[in-house]
């Protein structure tokens, strides 16, 4: 076991996602089986008693990798010296709430947390935003965090990628581990574009493009896309709560790959700052296919984009531009 300890912040630590996520970190699933961690767990004052119960459960799990735990409702204490910040806590959408209202409530939270990252966290802190609207919350934190490198801000679209891979595996009758390089473009919302066109399946006969293996273009261009786009809402309708265990798994996958690297030839989807690749608007937090090595990601370049893909990428890009305009307006008020 390494002697070095990394400081990992999880906000919304008394919530549903955190109740799975924290234990994935404790087990070593995120940063590796040798990496010791100090957990910084932040929630609102009302939830601090509940956090005390979470701490008891961490202790009762007897995890050798857990070096220390801080629980707090104080932003400064939570953000101080953290190497990794996983920002899950956010104002949930209430019934009848307009998207703009949700954006406004969360803009305030992520502005404060962006400033806290700049003022109190490790200079090279790596940030993953999960709380919705995830892309735009990440953008707000990024523009509020003077001095923290912009490429250190990401948002979660790995859950969408995992959903897409599973749908393909179910349709093809293969194990999900044999499905590769399915891409999520754009916003973590119903305008996202799940793209199978660069992906392949490892069949007994060899590496086969998804379109060739599945041979059902109507499904691939129709129900496949809409099922993935609407999966979050379908889980909410069934569970009366939003997805939590699958979100925690995806967060673990995202951070694991960012920090420890992706396998040779493998793409994963991450919301990252757009450099204008594939005709997207520079400066948005946009989900792209990326590869990771040495703690850094790079956007995969040169993928073929036909008119079908171009249109769907434009739709999700337009939505993100409009969210950005609304959010920046709130920030300037
Ligand atoms: N990007 C994705 O793929 C994805 C997937 C699932 C859920 N989500 C989003 O993740 C968020 C959390 O989901 P959940 O199911 O854990 O919700 P939850 O309501 O169970 O937990 C959220 C927690 O955040 C806390 N919180 C609220 N404001 C806070 C603040 N300012 N600072 C610290 N903590 C704060 C709440 O007190 C609560 O304990 C939601 O916004 C949800 O929509 C995103
Ligand atoms: O869609 C939602 O509001 C919940 C979450 O973002 C999800 O994708 O499960």
């Amino acid at each position: 076991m390494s002697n070095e300890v990394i400081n990992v912040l999880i906000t919304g630590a008394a919530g549903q996602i955190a109740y799975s996520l924290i234990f994935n970190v404790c087990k070593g699933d995120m940063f590796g089986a040798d990496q010791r961690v100090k957990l910084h767990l932040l929630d609102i004052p009302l939830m601090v008693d509940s956090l005390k119960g979470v701490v008891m459960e961490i202790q009762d799990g007897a995890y050798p990798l857990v070096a220390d735990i801080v629980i707090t409702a104080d932003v400064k204490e939570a953000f101080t010296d953290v190497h990794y910040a996983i920002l899950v806590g956010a104002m949930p959408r209430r019934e009848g709430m307009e998207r703009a209202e949700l954006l406004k409530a969360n803009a305030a939270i992520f502005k404060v947390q962006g400033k806290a990252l700049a003022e109190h966290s490790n200079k090279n802190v790596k940030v993953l935003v999960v709380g919705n609207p995830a892309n735009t919350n990440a953008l707000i934190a990024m523009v509020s965090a003077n001095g923290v490198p912009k490429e250190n801000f990401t948002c979660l679209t790995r859950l969408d990628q995992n959903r897409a891979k599973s749908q393909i595996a179910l349709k093809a009758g293969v194990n999900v581990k044999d499905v590769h390089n399915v891409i999520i473009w754009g916003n973590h919302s119903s305008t996202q574009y799940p793209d199978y066109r660069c992906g392949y399946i490892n069949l007994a006969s060899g590496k086969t493009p998804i379109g060739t293996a599945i041979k059902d273009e109507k499904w691939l261009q129709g129900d496949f896309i809409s099922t993935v786009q609407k999966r979050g809402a379908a889980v909410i309708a069934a569970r009366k709560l939003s997805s939590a265990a699958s979100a925690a798994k995806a967060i673990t996958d995202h951070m694991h790959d960012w920090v420890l690297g992706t396998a040779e030839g493998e793409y994963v989807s991450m919301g990252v700052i757009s450099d204008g690749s594939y005709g997207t608007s520079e400066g948005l937090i946009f989900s792209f296919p990326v590869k990771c090595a040495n703690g850094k990601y790079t956007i995969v370049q040169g993928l073929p984009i036909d008119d079908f893909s171009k249109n769907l990428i434009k739709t999700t890009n337009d939505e993100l531009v409009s969210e950005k305009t609304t959010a920046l307006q709130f920030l300037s008020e």
Side-chain angles (χ1 to χ4, degrees):
M1 201 175 347
S2 130
N3 279 329
E4 182 215 359
V5 174
I6 54 172
N7 301 332
V8 181
L9 165 66
I10 296 176
T11 73
Q16 291 200 82
I17 293 177
Y19 194 65
S20 288
L21 178 64
I22 290 169
F23 300 94
N24 291 351
V25 177
C26 295
K27 281 186 281 182
D29 292 353
M30 189 179 284
F31 297 107
D34 287 337
Q35 180 60 62
R36 296 171 74 214
V37 293
K38 177 177 174 190
L39 295 170
H40 291 224
L41 305 179
L42 175 76
D43 211 293
I44 56 173
L46 198 67
M47 300 307 287
V48 169
D49 276 345
S50 168
L51 276 183
K52 289 179 186 161
V54 174
V55 171
M56 286 185 231
E57 290 215 64
I58 298 170
Q59 291 165 343
D60 296 351
Y63 298 102
L65 294 177
V66 178
D68 200 0
I69 311 167
V70 175
I71 57 167
T72 183
D74 180 74
V75 169
K76 178 173 178 213
E77 187 183 12
F79 280 74
T80 295
D81 294 337
V82 298
H83 301 99
Y84 299 98
I86 306 174
L87 308 183
V88 181
M91 163 86 75
R93 191 202 291 258
R94 284 190 294 268
E95 223 178 324
M97 204 177 193
E98 294 295 325
R99 197 173 173 83
E101 275 181 86
L102 182 72
L103 249 167
K104 188 171 189 174
N106 283 313
I109 294 175
F110 285 87
K111 180 180 177 181
V112 168
Q113 295 189 350
K115 280 193 173 158
L117 285 163
E119 286 169 15
H120 307 299
S121 298
N122 181 279
K123 278 191 187 29
N124 200 29
V125 59
K126 287 186 160 68
V127 184
L128 168 59
V129 176
V130 178
N132 278 321
N135 299 56
T136 299
N137 288 342
L139 182 129
I140 292 166
M142 179 182 78
V143 300
S144 307
N146 273 334
V148 181
K150 294 202 177 336
E151 63 273 15
N152 288 17
F153 288 83
T154 67
C155 84
L156 188 73
T157 55
R158 184 63 171 265
L159 176 55
D160 307 296
Q161 181 194 309
N162 288 348
R163 288 167 171 165
K165 276 175 68 165
S166 270
Q167 289 302 314
I168 298 277
L170 287 168
K171 180 81 176 173
V174 299
N175 189 299
V176 72
K177 76 173 170 37
D178 293 320
V179 180
H180 297 272
N181 295 0
V182 179
I183 298 165
I184 303 297
W185 300 95
N187 201 0
H188 171 68
S189 76
S190 58
T191 68
Q192 67 177 268
Y193 171 36
D195 178 6
Y196 70 92
R197 288 158 190 242
C198 301
Y200 66 91
I201 303 181
N202 279 329
L203 296 176
S205 54
K207 193 169 157 175
T208 310
I210 288 173
T212 311
I214 287 188
K215 291 193 196 73
D216 185 348
E217 206 171 323
K218 185 164 175 274
W219 180 81
L220 283 166
Q221 295 194 3
D223 284 355
F224 162 64
I225 294 176
S226 60
T227 299
V228 177
Q229 287 174 329
K230 294 180 193 152
R231 190 67 160 189
V235 172
I236 292 172
R239 242 170 61 85
K240 315 290 177 238
L241 283 170
S242 66
S243 50
S246 57
K249 162 68 164 55
I251 295 166
T252 308
D253 291 343
H254 175 117
M255 292 304 297
H256 175 278
D257 289 352
W258 191 5
V259 176
L260 299 175
T262 43
E264 184 63 34
E266 196 72 20
Y267 315 157
V268 294
S269 295
M270 285 169 60
V272 302
I273 184 165
S274 166
D275 58 358
S277 293
Y278 299 100
T280 59
S281 303
E282 224 175 306
L284 292 178
I285 297 286
F286 194 96
S287 180
F288 288 103
V290 304
K291 293 180 177 181
C292 306
N294 305 316
K296 291 192 187 311
Y297 61 80
T298 43
I299 297 173
V300 177
Q301 296 295 338
L303 299 175
I305 303 291
D306 59 12
D307 285 345
F308 182 84
S309 296
K310 210 179 272 174
N311 282 337
L312 291 179
I313 289 173
K314 183 179 180 313
T315 301
T316 193
N317 187 82
D318 288 350
E319 183 181 52
L320 281 170
V321 169
S322 140
E323 283 187 17
K324 178 179 176 179
T325 307
T326 312
L328 293 183
Q329 199 179 317
F330 291 143
L331 289 184
S332 66
E333 277 171 8

